[in-house]
């Protein structure tokens, strides 16, 4: 029996992993924690928890994800996205556990016009992006760590762009959404499936655990405007979506204008199949 510890398990990604738990091999036991059971910013608590549970794999879904609020809450964002990741990486290394940490496309500045590869230079433009970049470095300081960057995550669980659009689409006759930020929406269920598939293959020694950075998002490319139009269509909201430039919708945290991720490395290493973002969006229970 191999044990997988999932931290931040009440968030979007953690909840999707929980949903898939029953479909996991019987030889894998999952332990779910969120801040109430294990505050990952507390090194002593982390070390005590690891001594008790002795996990073989650790999947860190915990994060400070309020991108705009982070500009005013730098210390808190840093504590969760950076220092706590160092705690988990250290405890994982001491326990001999494989550490899978999740990061973001917002570590890039968005000035490229082709999909970002894992070894492209990071240059975060926001406090959130900076703290996530530091978290990546803290994880990768240990040999048994894998960082999976993703982008534009949404899910049946938690708060996200899809739910906001569905709510506003029911309230307003029209809505302006930026068209000059381009990326790829990612269904958190697809990322959850990918993570569990990688761990499953490593657990039965079908694949090696490869340390380092990987990218995972759904396939395809769109703007937030395109994403919003598709949500309104699938959600049957009679709301007209108007394309605007980011300069007309200023936010405390700047976002990359282009943050499409190249997924070739993860596909080749772990035989991962990835759905197009529009198909994955349509599959969401919210539209059922
Ligand atoms: N959301 C996106 O669009 C997006 C895009 C790219 C990458 N990512 C990355 O993907 C990963 C998963 O994101 P998500 O959207 O699933 O995040 P989420 O929904 O915000 O969930 C994060 C979870 O972590 C918990 N948490 C916060 N502080 C903690 C602590 N000290 N100890 C333990 N748990 C703590 C949160 O609890 P509270 O709710 O009580 O704070 C929450 O349940 C994160 O690494 C994120 O940076 C997300």
């Amino acid at each position: 029996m191999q044990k997988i510890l999932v931290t931040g398990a009440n968030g979007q990604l953690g909840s999707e992993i929980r949903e898939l738990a029953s479909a996991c091999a019987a030889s894998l036991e999952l332990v779910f924690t969120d801040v109430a059971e294990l505050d990952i910013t507390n090194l002593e608590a982390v070390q005590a928890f690891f001594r008790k549970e002795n996990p073989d794999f650790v999947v860190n879904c915990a994060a400070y994800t309020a991108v705009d609020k982070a500009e005013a809450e730098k210390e808190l964002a840093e504590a969760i996205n950076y220092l706590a990741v160092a705690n988990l990486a250290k405890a994982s290394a001491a326990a001999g556990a494989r550490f899978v940490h999740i990061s973001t496309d917002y570590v890039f500045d968005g000035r490229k016009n082709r999909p970002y590869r894992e070894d492209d230079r990071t240059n975060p433009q926001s406090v959130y992006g900076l703290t996530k970049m530091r978290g990546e470095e803290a994880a990768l300081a240990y040999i048994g760590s894998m960082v999976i960057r993703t982008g534009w995550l949404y899910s049946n669980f938690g708060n996200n762009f899809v739910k906001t659009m569905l709510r506003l689409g029911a309230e307003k006759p029209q809505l302006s959404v930026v068209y000059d930020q381009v990326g790829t929406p990612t269904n958190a269920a697809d990322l959850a499936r990918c993570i569990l598939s990688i761990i499953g293959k490593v657990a039965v020694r079908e694949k090696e655990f490869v340390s380092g950075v990987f990218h995972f998002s759904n396939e395809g490319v769109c703007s937030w405007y395109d994403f919003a139009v598709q949500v309104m269509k699938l959600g049957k909201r009679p709301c007209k979506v108007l394309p605007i430039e980011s300069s007309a919708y200023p936010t405390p945290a700047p976002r990359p204008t282009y943050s499409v991720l190249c997924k070739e490395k993860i596909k080749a290493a772990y035989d991962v199949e990835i759905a197009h973002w529009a198909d994955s969006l349509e599959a969401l229970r919210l539209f059922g």
Side-chain angles (χ1 to χ4, degrees):
M1 182 72 85
Q2 301 202 44
K3 194 180 276 186
I4 309 173
L5 167 62
V6 181
T7 53
N10 294 346
Q12 297 192 80
L13 179 59
S15 300
E16 294 290 357
I17 293 179
R18 208 190 283 264
E19 282 256 302
L20 293 173
S22 57
C24 273
S27 57
L28 292 175
E29 179 192 356
L30 286 100
V31 177
F32 295 97
T33 64
D34 205 280
V35 66
E37 299 79 28
L38 177 61
D39 178 352
I40 61 167
T41 62
N42 182 337
L43 178 60
E44 279 177 20
V46 169
Q47 287 173 328
F49 198 90
F50 273 62
R51 274 196 299 275
K52 186 170 133 255
E53 293 290 345
N54 197 22
D56 300 286
F57 297 91
V58 178
V59 182
N60 181 29
C61 303
Y64 179 106
T65 54
V67 177
D68 286 318
K69 255 173 96 182
E71 297 296 312
E73 292 189 338
K74 187 170 180 197
E75 271 185 28
L76 183 60
E78 203 163 62
I80 300 168
N81 291 344
Y82 165 37
L83 299 171
V85 180
N87 291 345
L88 290 175
K90 187 175 180 182
S92 299
R98 311 293 200 180
F99 181 42
V100 180
H101 174 63
I102 314 303
S103 192
T104 172
D105 53 341
Y106 284 8
V107 297
F108 295 118
D109 62 22
R111 296 193 190 117
K112 287 216 184 304
N113 53 14
R114 54 118 178 105
Y116 277 93
R117 292 192 288 260
E118 287 79 357
D119 57 0
D120 279 324
R121 193 174 69 94
T122 52
N123 184 24
Q125 301 296 294
S126 60
V127 166
Y128 168 74
L130 182 67
T131 59
K132 292 296 291 184
M133 185 191 79
R134 294 217 171 110
E136 291 185 356
E137 291 164 356
L140 295 171
Y142 296 88
I143 191 91
S145 299
M146 176 187 291
V147 169
I148 303 180
R149 293 191 188 122
T150 190
W152 298 25
L153 218 54
Y154 63 88
S155 154
N156 288 307
F157 303 97
N159 295 316
N160 54 59
F161 182 81
V162 175
K163 288 188 179 176
T164 304
M165 288 301 110
L166 288 176
R167 177 173 49 79
L168 294 176
E171 291 167 10
K172 293 174 179 278
Q174 65 177 49
L175 197 65
S176 299
V177 181
V178 300
Y179 70 86
D180 55 358
Q181 289 172 31
V182 171
T184 314
T186 304
N187 189 328
D190 291 347
L191 176 56
R193 214 168 287 116
C194 170
I195 293 167
L196 289 177
S197 151
I198 290 173
I199 290 177
K201 287 173 185 173
V202 172
V204 297
R205 298 174 191 268
E206 181 186 326
K207 293 279 180 187
E208 288 284 310
F209 183 89
V210 182
S211 307
V213 181
F214 288 87
H215 286 172
F216 181 94
S217 69
N218 279 122
E219 294 284 14
V221 175
C222 72
S223 69
W224 289 107
Y225 162 78
D226 299 311
F227 190 13
V229 168
Q230 196 63 12
V231 172
M232 298 301 181
K233 195 174 140 197
L234 292 169
K236 300 187 175 60
R237 300 296 194 263
C239 175
K240 190 171 166 48
V241 185
L242 305 173
I244 53 162
E245 291 185 12
S246 299
S247 57
Y249 187 74
T251 53
R255 268 76 169 168
T257 52
Y258 180 92
S259 62
V260 178
L261 299 172
C262 172
K263 279 88 58 183
E264 295 311 310
K265 186 178 168 190
I266 203 163
K267 286 196 254 184
Y270 290 107
D271 303 330
V272 177
E273 282 182 26
I274 308 182
H276 190 273
W277 72 265
D279 295 330
S280 262
L281 178 64
E282 201 169 347
L284 207 63
R285 262 205 314 273
L286 287 173
F287 298 116

